[in-house]
Amino acid sequence: SQTIHQWPATLVQPVGSPLSLECTVEGTSNPNLYWYRQAAGRGLQLLFYSVGIGQISSEVPQNLSASRPQDRQFILSSKKLLLSDSGFYLCAWSLSGGSTDTQYFGPGTRLTVL
Amino acid sequence: AQSVTQLGSHVSVSEGALVLLRCNYSSSVPPYLFWYVQYPNQGLQLLLKYTSAATLVKGINGFEAEFKKSETSFHLTKPSAHMSDAAEYFCAVSARGGGFKTIFGAGTRLFVKA
């Protein structure tokens, strides 16, 4: 069966510090991968998606970036965090070429920028 | 282009009462429709999905949703609410064959009173 991991689970960082959140998927090959942000009381905002190694599409211009160094690894980064980067970050995967587009979510990372 | 609107950011029901969470969508092509549930500080879990088979879709935990094309709706119902149903619920839409973008609604938080 497939599983998706995210770490860390929680993170408190000062403004201006760097960020690295990691997501890995097990039990499937060549998945589509996604990063979402969920701000308090708001829905999900798609930040990045990837259909393959090194292939990243950005949905929202911001100070975040994403990378996919391996097939089942997806990393979200920032060089300098802003207060507005606080939120709950969710990684998700779906089958490549999947006909129903169901997404499977990780447990999330709670990021607080102070 | 696609969009989804969830009517009511908060819904409160008594235990044992009917649960009705409303979702309307807009899509220029035949859609896939989803309901996800999110428990506090966790990722989203798929409750059910519509992919052009039966218009009445049954999901986990006794939930079901009916696809009504004429009303562009996909409302989520459960005949009898349980305390464990308290969570946030997200309606989502994606385009068949559209690949990678699933649009999520803003979410509806369900409260269940004893």
Side-chain angles (χ1 to χ4, degrees), chain A residues 101, chain B residues 2 25 27-33 50-52 67 69 93-98:
Chain A
D101 300 336
Chain B
Q2 298 164 297
Y25 71 92
S27 179
S28 56
V29 297
Y32 292 138
L33 294 160
Y50 166 77
T51 58
S52 82
F67 171 68
K69 184 177 179 180
V93 61
S94 68
R96 294 182 197 176

Side-chain angles (χ1 to χ4, degrees), chain A residues 37-61:
Chain A
R37 177 170 58 204
Q38 187 177 22
R42 302 180 67 177
L44 277 70
Q45 180 186 35
L46 179 63
L47 302 175
F48 302 95
Y49 68 90
S50 171
V51 301
I53 295 174
Q55 300 178 64
I56 309 294
S57 296
S58 174
E59 289 296 298
V60 182

Side-chain angles (χ1 to χ4, degrees), chain B:
Chain B
Q2 298 164 297
S3 66
V4 61
T5 302
Q6 291 185 241
L7 302 176
S9 59
H10 297 84
V11 170
S12 182
V13 301
S14 298
E15 192 172 21
L18 172 70
V19 176
L20 171 60
L21 304 182
R22 300 177 187 273
C23 172
N24 288 92
Y25 71 92
S26 173
S27 179
S28 56
V29 297
Y32 292 138
L33 294 160
F34 308 82
W35 276 100
Y36 289 85
V37 61
Q38 184 182 33
Y39 298 100
N41 294 310
Q42 294 185 26
L44 278 68
Q45 303 172 33
L46 181 68
L47 267 181
L48 50 81
K49 61 185 178 184
Y50 166 77
T51 58
S52 82
T55 56
L56 182 62
V57 182
K58 295 186 183 297
I60 62 172
N61 301 337
F63 285 93
E64 62 183 36
E66 186 171 9
F67 171 68
K68 292 188 176 180
K69 184 177 179 180
S70 61
E71 299 177 10
T72 61
S73 69
F74 191 57
H75 301 331
L76 181 70
T77 61
K78 182 174 180 177
S80 177
H82 192 272
M83 296 297 289
S84 61
D85 295 326
E88 189 151 23
Y89 292 80
F90 293 92
C91 182
V93 61
S94 68
R96 294 182 197 176
F100 321 115
K101 292 188 185 181
T102 297
I103 307 299
F104 288 83
T108 297
R109 184 165 295 279
L110 176 66
F111 297 91
V112 182
K113 300 175 292 186

